[in-house]
Amino acid sequence: FQYLKRFDQGCVLDRFWYEGLSVEGSPAECLQLFLLHCGVMDPSWAELRNFAWFLNIQLRDCEASVFCNPDFVRDVLSGF
């Protein structure tokens, strides 16, 4: 949710890191963003859960990757 919220606001996500245990927005806002970005017109709860799970895994791996670390790659891969 933290990434999707900032993405919708047009923020640059290159230097953003997930803030664990941080509460942002409401459950309704979270659901609205998931519905907007999941790519399925009328998703089931299972599809929303799978979308959130997959996105979480991808973003966690991205944060852990040296290739996505802006201090390591500097501006060579900006926006990657």
Side-chain angles (χ1 to χ4, degrees):
F1 174 74
Q2 293 176 14
Y3 275 95
L4 289 177
K5 181 178 177 182
R6 284 163 179 78
F7 176 78
D8 272 2
Q9 293 171 344
C11 297
V12 176
L13 299 174
D14 290 347
R15 293 205 170 267
F16 175 73
W17 293 90
Y18 168 72
E19 300 170 25
L21 304 176
S22 173
V23 177
E24 295 183 20
S26 67
E29 186 180 7
C30 181
L31 180 59
Q32 184 178 22
L33 279 177
F34 282 178
L35 288 169
L36 182 65
H37 290 282
C38 79
V40 178
M41 193 62 133
D42 186 20
S44 66
W45 285 110
E47 289 168 323
L48 284 175
R49 183 210 169 276
N50 288 339
F51 168 72
W53 174 79
F54 179 76
L55 183 61
N56 185 53
I57 296 292
Q58 295 299 306
L59 292 171
R60 185 179 62 205
D61 289 350
C62 180
E63 285 185 352
S65 171
V66 69
F67 296 106
C68 297
N69 183 331
D71 295 327
F72 177 73
V73 296
R74 309 215 193 283
D75 62 347
V76 175
L77 299 174
S78 180
F80 178 67

